[in-house]
Amino acid sequence: MDLIIGAGISGISYANFTKNAFQIIEKENEPGGYCRTIKRNGFVWDYSGHFFHFQNPDMEKYVCKNISPETLVHVDKHTQILYKGKYIDFPFQKNIHQLEKEEFVDCLYDLFAAKAEHYATFKEMVYANLGKSIAEKFLVPYNEKLYACDLDRLDVDAMGRFFPKACKEDIVLNFRNSDNSSYNARFTYPRGGAMEYVSSLLANIKGENVSLGEEVLHIDMDKKMVITTRREIAYDRLISSLPFPKLLDKCGISYPVDTFSCNKVLVFNLGFDSKGEDKTNNWIYVPDKDIIFYRVGYYDNILGTDRMSLYVEIGFPENQSLDKEGLYLERVLGDLRRLGIVTTQNLVDYEAVLMDPAYVHINKKGNDALASFKAQLAEKSVYSIGRYGSWTYCSIEDNMLEARRLAQELEEK
């Protein structure tokens, strides 16, 4: 029997693709992980903005097969950067021509003066490839807000394919012929929120195979036994989507405390009584360090509703205590007014959600430890998958593909 820890997208996907008998256990009282949805007072909010950017048509068809097609919204992404009170198209490095003339000249000069020779960190890579001005006007301050750390802690390829790379020729050509295409240029979103994807996947498996409100306390890999808050469960294979350090803890495996690091993100979902001025953007990026949040998303622009509905994200170091939610909300509302996003609108309702972990810090030390520990766990028939189970930066579709690959690999053993 395959025992699956976690009823988020990764765990549920594995259950969909495996041909083995399985049981899912989930510590929360509802499935979905970070893909849960809050519906209240006419607003639809996810735990944060979770939009499925399908690259694989077969996967999209599979995920959506239990969702009414008329409830799916297909969106051509529109995102911008709010920089010094002006909206600049994303990505910043391909749209420096939209800056004021002096800043544009600075960016262009530094771009061609940059020497892409030797670099070992994400921050060094940005400076070496794109120059001082592009780095310091957007890429460094924005990502420092997001990751809540010095970017020298991240490897060069910490964002993988998700970092919008651009060579000098691409940047110059974009001055006349705009091409801001990216891996997520189009996305699909259900009117009922991201939980609809979870419900669609759950519809393919039997309800008795999912146990909610049951937390794993200890994993005995030698006896192939899991102790939960309710019982002891024997397994043949264990598939975990727990954050990787937590899996190691529950298996009794020790590791240096600084091996795996991450940030946490406080999300405010905000519902207002009327629309705002921005009726186009799906989300915007805010690099200004005087503004507490790094990103604002517009559910109302995605779903076409008549009241402004936002998600606002704030990055914090993983060890920072967040015990004064009201103060953060007051600061968020104040900053939204400063930026002109909120003007005459009144707040109707809100929900605060803490994502911990949120973005993992990808570096060589963590990657090497991850590979070593994963091999050690696999020898004991324990497999770790998912964004946090594989301690990586990836899309939701990537999680599903990883779960399917593992199901196929284990089927062949």
Side-chain angles (χ1 to χ4, degrees), residues 268 324-331 350:
F268 281 102
K324 296 180 180 178
E325 176 187 304
L327 292 179
Y328 291 115
L329 176 61
E330 184 178 338
R331 174 73 185 279
Y350 82 93

Side-chain angles (χ1 to χ4, degrees), residues 111-331:
L111 173 67
F112 279 87
K115 295 181 179 179
E117 295 177 348
H118 303 291
Y119 44 84
T121 71
F122 181 83
K123 184 190 286 186
E124 290 175 358
M125 178 274 292
V126 170
Y127 275 93
N129 284 294
L130 296 169
K132 181 176 184 290
S133 291
I134 290 176
E136 294 181 359
K137 293 179 187 303
F138 177 71
L139 287 170
V140 170
Y142 175 78
N143 285 295
E144 284 181 344
K145 287 174 71 175
L146 186 154
Y147 283 102
C149 74
D150 187 317
L151 300 182
D152 278 330
R153 291 180 62 182
L154 306 182
D155 273 3
V156 170
D157 293 319
M159 295 184 192
R161 76 177 195 276
F162 302 97
F163 181 75
K165 295 181 174 64
C167 65
K168 294 179 177 67
E169 289 78 7
D170 292 334
I171 292 170
V172 172
L173 289 172
N174 212 50
F175 295 171
R176 288 284 178 87
N177 297 302
S178 180
D179 178 12
N180 298 319
S181 59
S182 64
Y183 79 95
N184 60 352
R186 185 173 174 82
F187 63 88
T188 305
Y189 189 69
R191 292 192 178 277
M195 187 64 192
E196 296 298 317
Y197 291 123
V198 176
S199 298
S200 179
L201 291 169
L202 281 172
N204 301 324
I205 62 181
K206 294 179 180 179
E208 60 264 30
N209 288 350
V210 183
S211 177
L212 302 175
E214 183 171 7
E215 183 176 1
V216 173
L217 300 177
H218 178 67
I219 299 168
D220 188 326
M221 294 189 293
D222 293 325
K223 294 182 179 179
K224 291 191 173 182
M225 185 74 66
V226 167
I227 300 171
T228 76
T229 47
R230 296 182 188 170
R231 52 183 165 161
E232 294 184 357
I233 309 173
Y235 64 84
D236 295 306
R237 289 161 297 274
L238 182 69
I239 290 82
S240 170
S241 61
L242 288 170
F244 195 71
K246 287 189 176 181
L247 173 63
L248 296 180
D249 293 340
K250 293 183 185 298
C251 291
I253 298 175
S254 60
Y255 53 92
V257 68
D258 61 345
T259 304
F260 304 103
S261 66
C262 61
N263 79 339
K264 54 188 174 186
V265 170
L266 180 62
V267 182
F268 281 102
N269 290 307
L270 306 172
F272 297 87
D273 60 357
S274 60
K275 289 283 281 188
E277 294 297 320
D278 191 333
K279 298 177 176 63
T280 305
N281 278 308
N282 306 133
W283 58 85
I284 62 170
Y285 305 89
V286 184
D288 186 345
K289 289 195 173 184
D290 290 332
I291 300 297
I292 192 171
F293 45 79
Y294 61 84
R295 182 164 55 193
V296 178
Y298 292 84
Y299 284 116
D300 54 310
N301 289 345
I302 293 169
L303 296 174
T305 54
D306 60 1
R307 295 183 297 170
M308 186 162 66
S309 179
L310 307 178
Y311 65 89
V312 179
E313 298 171 318
I314 313 168
F316 293 96
E318 60 182 319
N319 57 358
Q320 183 165 334
S321 176
L322 303 178
D323 56 356
K324 296 180 180 178
E325 176 187 304
L327 292 179
Y328 291 115
L329 176 61
E330 184 178 338
R331 174 73 185 279

Side-chain angles (χ1 to χ4, degrees), residues 63-119:
V63 173
C64 297
K65 73 176 183 179
N66 296 312
I67 302 175
S68 299
E70 62 270 17
T71 68
L72 285 171
V73 178
H74 300 280
V75 181
D76 291 320
K77 185 190 73 169
H78 190 278
T79 61
Q80 290 184 301
I81 300 154
L82 186 48
Y83 177 76
K84 293 186 177 181
K86 180 179 179 180
Y87 284 94
I88 306 297
D89 288 336
F90 182 87
F92 186 89
Q93 54 267 42
K94 290 184 73 174
N95 293 288
I96 54 175
H97 58 287
Q98 297 176 14
L99 298 171
E100 295 298 327
K101 181 179 178 181
E102 187 175 339
E103 289 202 286
F104 168 51
V105 172
D106 287 343
C107 287
L108 194 60
Y109 177 84
D110 289 346
L111 173 67
F112 279 87
K115 295 181 179 179
E117 295 177 348
H118 303 291
Y119 44 84

